């Protein structure tokens, strides 16, 4: 059977008005076009659907069954239209965000505010390292990613929205605690704990030490900022990470940021999506929200206070 929606619409209109002429007016068609549609529908089902007795039109038994199904189908199309209309405005649907592990220190606060504005958007947040973020972008598995430096080799739409200073962290009893403008070379006598390969922080750190031609001794490889902070507090070495990740430990006096020349190492946080990706209205609303408001909402002490 090759029934069209148009045939079903014409058929149910003829039944509703009990008239070909009024159905034609209703649907903005000519009367012969209406007759043609009904004939084609009857040809498809291979049964008569309407009978003309006197001046009235009656449904055959098959016509009653077809009418029932036609109404169901047309109702479903109306429902679909209504549901899709909701997606034409922000506030509905699903939003898939992935954030660098370090961004996890502020991403939930942003999502909370976004959720207050758009409570019906269901947000999925995946927190992982830079390498995994790039894989998710390449696979088109996410709408947007919050990360440090976006890579040059992928076709991406990237907007920076907040500074991301990288700092050296040390335990409070470290000799650096009282030093002022400690020269970079002094770092060569220290041991640095490093994040896992694939971490954006590690990449930035290695690049910085290479650029300044420093011979750094690397200690344990640790796969999370949390574990690095614990290890630094335990005296296993120094660490280097986003200042966003150490706010609480600084406040509690568990870690310090020594005054080392050329630090902090200035980077930015970026909101990144694939170029050409069709962002839903909710995803666009999230993008605008982060790019325009995140910095103001996540008030932080000025860099000069580091
Ligand atoms: P990371 O990401 O968690 O992979 O180190 C932070 C960044 O890209 O700057």
């Amino acid at each position: 059977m090759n029934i069209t929606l148009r045939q079903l619409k014409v058929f149910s209109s003829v039944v509703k008005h009990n008239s070909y002429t009024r159905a034609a007016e209703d649907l903005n068609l000519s009367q012969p076009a209406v007759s043609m549609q009904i004939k084609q529908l009857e040809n498809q089902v291979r049964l008569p659907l309407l009978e003309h007795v006197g001046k009235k039109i009656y449904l055959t038994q098959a016509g009653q069954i077809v009418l029932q199904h036609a109404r169901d189908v047309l109702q479903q199309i109306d429902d679909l239209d209504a549901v899709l209309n909701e997606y034409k405005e922000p506030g509905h649907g699903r939003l898939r965000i992935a954030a660098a592990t370090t961004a996890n220190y502020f991403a939930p606060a942003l999502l909370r505010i976004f959720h207050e504005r758009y409570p019906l958007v269901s947000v999925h947040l995946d927190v992982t390292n830079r390498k995994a973020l790039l894989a998710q972008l390449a696979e088109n598995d996410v709408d947007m990613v919050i990360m440090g430096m976006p890579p040059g080799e992928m076709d991406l739409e990237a907007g920076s929205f907040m500074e991301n200073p990288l700092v050296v962290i040390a335990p409070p009893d470290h000799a650096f605690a009282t030093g002022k403008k400690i020269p970079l070379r002094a770092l060569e006598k220290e041991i640095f704990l490093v994040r896992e390969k694939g971490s954006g922080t590690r990449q930035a750190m290695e690049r910085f030490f290479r650029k300044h031609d420093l011979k750094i001794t690397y200690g344990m490889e640790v796969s999370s900022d949390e574990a690095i902070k614990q290890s630094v507090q335990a005296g296993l070495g120094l660490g280097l990470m986003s200042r966003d990740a150490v706010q609480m430990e600084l406040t509690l006096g568990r870690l310090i940021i020594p005054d080392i020349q050329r630090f902090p190492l200035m980077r930015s946080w970026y909101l990144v999506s694939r170029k050409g990706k069709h962002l839903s209205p909710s995803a666009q609303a999230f993008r605008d929200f982060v790019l325009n408001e995140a910095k103001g909402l996540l008030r932080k002490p000025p860099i000069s206070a580091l």
Side-chain angles (χ1 to χ4, degrees):
M1 258 200 308
N2 202 358
I3 293 174
T4 66
L5 281 176
R6 188 174 187 77
Q7 288 162 1
L8 295 180
K9 223 178 247 171
V10 169
F11 175 62
S12 64
S13 181
V14 168
V15 175
K16 179 173 155 201
H17 296 293
N18 204 264
S19 154
Y20 280 58
T21 317
R22 293 210 357 240
E25 282 166 15
D26 188 23
L27 299 170
N28 239 334
L29 295 171
S30 67
Q31 217 246 37
V34 169
S35 306
M36 175 69 82
Q37 294 286 329
I38 298 292
K39 201 151 251 112
Q40 284 171 351
L41 180 59
E42 290 181 323
N43 286 343
Q44 282 298 323
V45 301
R46 289 194 277 136
L47 285 166
L49 301 175
L50 299 170
E51 8 183 70
H52 305 256
V53 180
K55 284 196 154 74
K56 286 191 107 182
I57 302 168
Y58 295 90
L59 282 166
T60 62
Q61 277 190 32
Q64 285 176 11
I65 293 168
V66 171
L67 180 67
Q68 214 172 45
H69 287 268
R71 284 186 175 153
D72 287 350
V73 169
L74 296 172
Q75 184 59 50
Q76 295 248 12
I77 298 288
D78 279 354
D79 291 351
L80 175 63
D81 190 39
V83 170
L84 291 180
N85 272 334
E86 289 185 351
Y87 286 83
K88 291 176 185 152
E89 299 288 327
H92 295 269
R94 204 170 43 139
L95 186 58
R96 292 163 310 169
I97 310 286
T101 38
T102 312
N104 190 34
Y105 289 93
F106 62 80
L110 286 180
L111 289 174
R112 183 183 61 80
I113 300 165
F114 185 75
H115 175 71
E116 277 165 14
R117 288 190 201 170
Y118 299 104
L120 298 182
V121 176
S122 96
V123 180
H124 182 264
L125 172 68
D126 189 29
V127 178
T128 184
N129 73 15
R130 175 186 175 86
K131 190 174 170 204
L133 292 177
L134 296 181
Q136 295 199 33
L137 277 173
E139 294 295 316
N140 198 19
D141 275 347
V142 282
D143 293 311
M144 269 165 285
V145 155
I146 297 174
M147 66 188 307
M149 204 56 203
E153 68 273 11
M154 225 189 268
D155 230 1
L156 300 171
E157 208 84 70
S160 71
F161 61 90
M162 197 167 65
E163 286 159 336
N164 175 24
L166 295 193
V167 294
V168 171
I169 53 169
D173 58 358
H174 192 278
F176 281 175
T178 49
K180 287 267 169 281
K181 302 215 179 317
I182 301 163
L184 271 185
R185 287 278 157 220
L187 298 182
E188 292 185 329
K189 296 202 178 73
E190 301 293 327
I191 292 174
F192 270 82
L193 305 170
V194 278
R195 282 276 306 277
E196 76 285 5
K197 283 203 173 70
S199 146
T201 310
R202 172 164 174 171
Q203 194 188 69
M205 167 179 174
E206 289 178 338
R207 198 173 286 165
F208 177 82
F209 288 151
R210 248 196 329 269
K211 180 174 152 203
H212 292 280
D213 203 21
L214 294 173
K215 309 272 170 294
I216 297 293
T217 309
Y218 292 113
M220 223 164 56
E221 185 175 295
V222 186
S223 64
S224 77
D225 287 334
E226 266 326 291
I228 291 218
K229 287 188 287 185
Q230 296 294 336
S231 307
V232 172
Q233 284 176 54
L236 290 170
L238 301 186
L240 188 148
M241 72 177 64
S242 167
R243 205 263 314 247
D244 290 327
V246 287
Q247 202 51 54
M248 192 174 76
E249 287 75 9
L250 296 177
T251 310
L252 296 176
R254 292 183 181 156
L255 289 171
I256 57 154
I257 298 177
D259 180 7
I260 299 169
Q261 284 176 10
R262 297 193 185 268
F263 276 96
L265 166 52
M266 288 312 292
R267 298 175 85 218
S268 291
W269 286 114
Y270 289 84
L271 189 67
V272 180
S273 54
R274 289 280 295 268
K275 209 170 242 164
K277 177 163 182 64
H278 175 78
L279 292 180
S280 70
S282 294
Q284 279 174 33
F286 183 75
R287 191 167 192 278
D288 293 345
F289 165 66
V290 172
L291 294 183
N292 300 325
E293 298 183 56
K295 191 175 170 173
L297 290 168
L298 302 166
R299 260 174 270 115
K300 287 188 284 191
I303 303 302
S304 54
L306 288 176

